[in-house]
Amino acid sequence: MRFSLDAIGIPYEVVAAIDVNPIVNKIYQYNFGSQGHSQKNILSFTTDDIENMKLDIITMSPPCQPFTRVGLQKDIEDARSISFFCTS
């Protein structure tokens, strides 16, 4: 998503970069540095956590594994797809 913002020329400041996968995190840090970077599950954020970041925009790349043809093809039954659905 960061490359997309760069490509269209929108000025931005990265407040946080989060991923649960340690390999993905190493790649991100190699390319962009570690400022604002955290390794955690986005589901662990509270409303206060998000509000305290004073965000104008959130970009994200949702997990694709539940929906790929090569994977287990569990679709919405895969626990990794929970972030797509309202639980209340």
Side-chain angles (χ1 to χ4, degrees):
M1 299 312 289
R2 187 170 178 163
F3 284 120
S4 298
L5 288 173
D6 288 339
I8 59 175
I10 293 176
Y12 64 91
E13 174 188 357
V14 175
V15 176
I18 293 104
D19 201 296
V20 70
N21 185 313
I23 295 169
V24 169
N25 290 322
K26 286 181 183 180
I27 294 168
Y28 183 90
Q29 289 175 351
Y30 176 83
N31 287 308
F32 302 113
S34 60
Q35 182 177 356
H37 186 270
S38 297
Q39 180 173 324
K40 63 191 298 184
N41 188 320
I42 62 169
L43 297 175
S44 68
F45 283 93
T46 66
T47 303
D48 287 339
D49 292 335
I50 295 168
E51 287 177 355
N52 289 335
M53 288 187 226
K54 309 260 188 256
L55 305 172
D56 293 322
I57 186 172
I58 296 174
T59 62
M60 65 181 286
S61 178
C64 61
Q65 299 91 338
F67 308 100
T68 61
R69 288 185 230 162
V70 178
L72 298 175
Q73 302 176 5
K74 294 172 88 177
D75 201 51
I76 63 174
E77 300 302 319
D78 191 311
R80 293 172 291 190
S81 66
I82 192 70
S83 59
F84 292 120
F85 306 103
C86 178
T87 58
S88 57

